[in-house]
Amino acid sequence: MRIIHTSDWHLGRQFGPVSLRADQEAFADWFVELCRDQRAELVVIAGDLYDRAIAPVESIELFRDTVRRLLRDGTTVAAITGNHDGADRVAPHGDLLDLSGFYLRGGYDAVGGVIRIDASDGPLDLVLLPFLDPQAAPDGFGEPATATSGPDAGAEHVDAEELVDRRRRRTHHSVLDTAAQAAAAKLTAPRSVAVAHAFVSGGAVSESERQLVVGGTGEVASSIFDPFGYTALGHLHRPQTVGRADVRYSGTPLAYSFSEDHEKSVVVVDMDPAGTTEVSTIRVDVGRQVCTLTGTIDELLREAHPEGRDRFVRAILTDRDTVLDARSRLATIYPHVVEVRLQPAGRDPLAATAPPTDVADLQPIDAARRFWEASEGSPPDQDIDDILIAATSAAITGTAS
Ligand SMILES: [Mn+2]
């Protein structure tokens, strides 16, 4: 059977100030067409269906319409919620949707279950593991180092203090591991697929994701997925494998930040009746790519970079003098410029903030000179140095007014 794996559609997302609605609609059309051409039997969408917990109505309609078209073509569809989705709003009718061949799961409700798919070449066990917030777990779920942890625990009496302590010990790893192992114990088909939304250790983050991870998602070990034949992951926006070839992130279908200047793709998994897989990727050829252009404004306007005409552009201007109307001037050549950053040549913002190692021995005037050089790109000239000497000695003797 053929499975197509995608994730992180983030419907409703903006790129800076620009709506991505048209690009997301183009992707949906492209994707439905692809699944038809590829004769996919099962489509899995590994979370972050929407960009925010309360998604715009037009995004909900786009998602529904896309799933409906896939179902109409005879494809089974499975989707889980990610950390961006409001699970309670996205998946409350999951059990009803099962009847249509659309398996949608979110939150803790049905976690640990196995869905039997009867494919053309035999049965498949499907395990849906949505993003699980450890703080929202039911008591007794995913608590490490207790004999009673597990989805069926909770019958024994524990006092309030112990409950709080157990809650504190729960992690993303412990709740996901509990859910995955509960499902693994119920596998009976000769092959299985897990779908999860998590940050698996060893995965490569891009600039844009680091914030998200620090903000909410702890790491989980890839060994959680050992029991499953193929694991379709969502959360990281760059396509990649983690641990083994059959544990894989599809990445987003579109570039959602300037750090995503890599190719976007969906994953095609061919699985034989015994569960042996052959995995390949197909490049997504709709949507706007991104690029970062660096130079003075005159350079960027004069030596027009042809790749920038079509793409979302981040311009890093190295002019040492003030640049007026940079965005509108750049837009005459790069119509999709969405970010302009000033980074005057020779100045290194990172060097200016790196803490010196010998700070205890440093005299104030030396610290001032170093700071000047780090932020301006060259040592202070005589006039500036006089000012620095006056300022630092005044600060020491307390004569500053
Ligand atoms: Mn995401």
Side-chain angles (χ1 to χ4, degrees), residues 11-282:
L11 299 180
R13 192 177 181 100
Q14 306 246 125
F15 198 110
V18 183
S19 165
L20 288 171
R21 183 178 179 174
D23 284 5
Q24 294 186 326
E25 287 172 354
F27 166 73
D29 289 344
W30 176 89
F31 186 70
V32 169
E33 194 79 7
L34 174 87
C35 293
R36 192 180 300 151
D37 289 350
Q38 292 287 320
R39 300 178 182 281
E41 274 193 66
L42 172 65
V43 163
V44 298
I45 313 170
D48 284 356
L49 314 173
Y50 303 111
D51 194 49
R52 3 184 242 275
I54 299 178
V57 170
E58 67 191 40
S59 303
I60 294 170
E61 286 171 353
L62 175 59
F63 186 72
R64 184 186 57 186
D65 182 57
T66 307
V67 172
R68 186 166 33 198
R69 289 158 76 193
L70 292 167
L71 294 176
R72 232 181 243 157
D73 287 341
T75 313
T76 300
V77 181
I80 57 171
T81 54
N83 55 320
H84 280 244
D85 298 306
D88 295 341
R89 288 169 186 274
V90 173
H93 309 307
D95 52 341
L96 300 181
L97 295 171
D98 287 3
L99 304 171
S100 67
F102 175 35
Y103 300 95
L104 178 62
R105 295 290 183 270
Y108 283 88
D109 274 356
V111 105
V114 174
I115 296 163
R116 170 60 62 91
I117 304 286
D118 287 308
S120 60
D121 59 347
L124 167 84
D125 280 341
L126 179 64
V127 174
L128 301 182
L129 301 165
F131 172 77
L132 298 174
D133 177 356
Q135 295 315 310
D139 286 325
F141 191 100
E143 286 152 2
T146 60
T148 52
S149 53
D152 304 322
E156 39 136 21
H157 174 78
V158 286
D159 62 22
E161 208 172 307
E162 167 69 6
L163 275 179
V164 170
D165 195 49
R166 286 186 182 186
R167 188 163 293 208
R168 228 192 334 257
R169 287 201 300 268
R170 283 199 300 249
T171 62
H172 284 91
H173 177 90
S174 70
V175 292
L176 189 59
D177 191 45
T178 300
Q181 302 329 314
K186 298 173 193 152
L187 295 177
T188 51
R191 57 184 174 174
S192 62
V193 167
V195 185
H197 192 90
F199 179 27
V200 179
S201 300
V205 295
S206 58
E207 244 169 61
S208 60
E209 288 145 353
R210 201 164 293 142
Q211 294 294 336
L212 178 65
V213 168
V214 170
T217 310
E219 294 187 21
V220 308
S222 66
S223 57
I224 284 180
F225 307 110
D226 285 349
F228 310 110
Y230 178 82
T231 300
L233 292 171
H235 181 58
L236 296 183
H237 289 184
R238 176 185 291 272
Q240 59 194 292
T241 59
V242 271
R244 58 181 232 254
D246 285 327
V247 179
R248 186 179 284 259
Y249 285 98
S250 64
T252 57
L254 302 168
Y256 288 144
S257 69
F258 281 110
S259 56
E260 298 168 55
D261 53 2
H262 48 265
E263 208 166 73
K264 293 300 185 182
S265 52
V266 299
V267 186
V268 179
V269 183
D270 286 318
M271 194 178 251
D272 76 9
T276 305
T277 58
E278 214 168 280
V279 181
S280 58
T281 60
I282 294 180

